[in-house]
Amino acid sequence: CVHLARRGGTIIKEVHREGRLGAHNKKADGDMRAAQAMEPQEVLTIADTRAQDAIASSLRGMFPGIRLVGEEDEDTGGKEVLTRLDEVPPLPASFEPPPALAESVTLADTCIWIDPLDGTIEFVRNNLHHVCVLIGVAVRDRPVAGVVHQPFVGGEEGTVTYGALDAGVFGDLAPAWGGPPEQLKLAMELKHTTNPRVKAAVASVEGAGEPKVSQGCGQNLLKVLRGETSAFVQAAGA
């Protein structure tokens, strides 16, 4: 998953360099509005579908029968070259899943969740540091591992962070995580700042102050992990 998240990021950067995003409303055919004027959940680009195709098709080729849940419709996929399992470089020796997790992972019990381009609207707006590739692993409906790749942060290959239950957090940054900030710092996406329940909840937290507005779930969670913020707040069902 780490290697495929990087590959998804490479595709996203390639589409961005070419400048032909193909942004449109995935929920309403014929919507003539500019993509920047659409709601975040409405926007789809070529980068979304190409990245998901590369990740999902490669995983199915490596692990036939694996259950996958992708953010985007796969009807437009099937065109990307598959990555073979023997092409995937090993993770650093320091990353070893605990025996209990390794023994519990079976094909039938495992489901992989893919968001090929978290922050699509920010990608269209050229706010590239908000963009991430997200891959999560669940076993028996319990999340146990995940990968967050930031294609436009760091060097040419971007910055990847990954971890697993009882194994730890690893990645390109050393260390990949940090302690909590000295003062309470909350963050949320703009769409949640006007939600009455969220506003009431934040107001009830002593010392919370004004939340920092920051777009994109993946990079917001990384900020919590790295100690840049204390918590990422969202409305129910987000």
Side-chain angles (χ1 to χ4, degrees):
C1 289
V2 173
H3 180 75
L4 292 176
R6 288 191 190 274
R7 184 174 172 205
T10 298
I11 291 171
I12 291 168
K13 294 182 76 170
E14 178 183 312
V15 172
H16 178 261
R17 281 194 298 267
E18 292 174 350
R20 296 188 294 271
L21 307 187
H24 61 280
N25 189 332
K26 62 184 178 182
K27 297 187 176 183
D29 292 338
D31 188 343
M32 301 305 293
R33 291 178 298 162
Q36 291 88 340
M38 297 177 187
E39 295 298 317
Q41 67 273 17
E42 294 176 331
V43 185
L44 183 70
T45 71
I46 293 172
D48 294 80
T49 54
R50 283 191 58 195
Q52 178 164 303
D53 181 17
I55 295 169
S57 298
S58 296
L59 284 170
R60 289 196 176 100
M62 296 175 188
F63 309 104
I66 189 74
R67 288 188 298 153
L68 302 178
V69 178
E71 175 83 6
E72 311 304 343
D73 187 349
E74 293 191 59
D75 290 346
T76 56
K79 299 179 181 178
E80 297 298 320
V81 176
L82 273 61
T83 297
R84 301 192 313 270
L85 187 58
D86 59 10
E87 296 175 330
V88 178
L91 291 175
S94 58
F95 181 81
E96 289 290 341
L101 176 58
E103 292 170 4
S104 68
V105 175
T106 66
L107 196 65
D109 292 332
T110 302
C111 182
I112 300 181
W113 298 74
I114 305 165
D115 187 344
L117 203 170
D118 176 52
T120 300
I121 190 65
E122 300 305 312
F123 179 62
V124 171
R125 293 170 177 167
N126 212 38
N127 297 326
L128 302 179
H129 61 288
H130 293 290
V131 172
C132 292
V133 179
L134 309 180
I135 302 179
V137 182
V139 176
R140 297 175 186 170
D141 300 324
R142 182 187 182 193
V144 297
V147 183
V148 180
H149 177 53
Q150 299 171 282
F152 297 99
V153 174
E156 181 60 30
E157 294 188 351
T159 301
V160 72
T161 305
Y162 59 94
L165 185 67
D166 294 330
V169 180
F170 308 86
D172 294 333
L173 299 182
W177 52 274
E182 293 184 3
Q183 295 183 327
L184 185 64
K185 297 180 180 179
L186 302 182
M188 65 174 65
E189 294 179 301
L190 181 63
K191 62 185 178 182
H192 299 295
T193 58
T194 57
N195 183 290
R197 295 184 66 183
V198 172
K199 291 174 68 175
V202 170
S204 69
V205 179
E206 184 177 352
E210 191 69 22
K212 175 181 176 61
V213 176
S214 182
Q215 298 298 98
C217 180
Q219 65 94 20
N220 268 302
L221 292 175
L222 285 177
K223 286 181 178 179
V224 176
L225 176 69
R226 295 168 182 165
E228 298 174 28
T229 57
S230 307
F232 174 48
V233 182
Q234 290 186 297

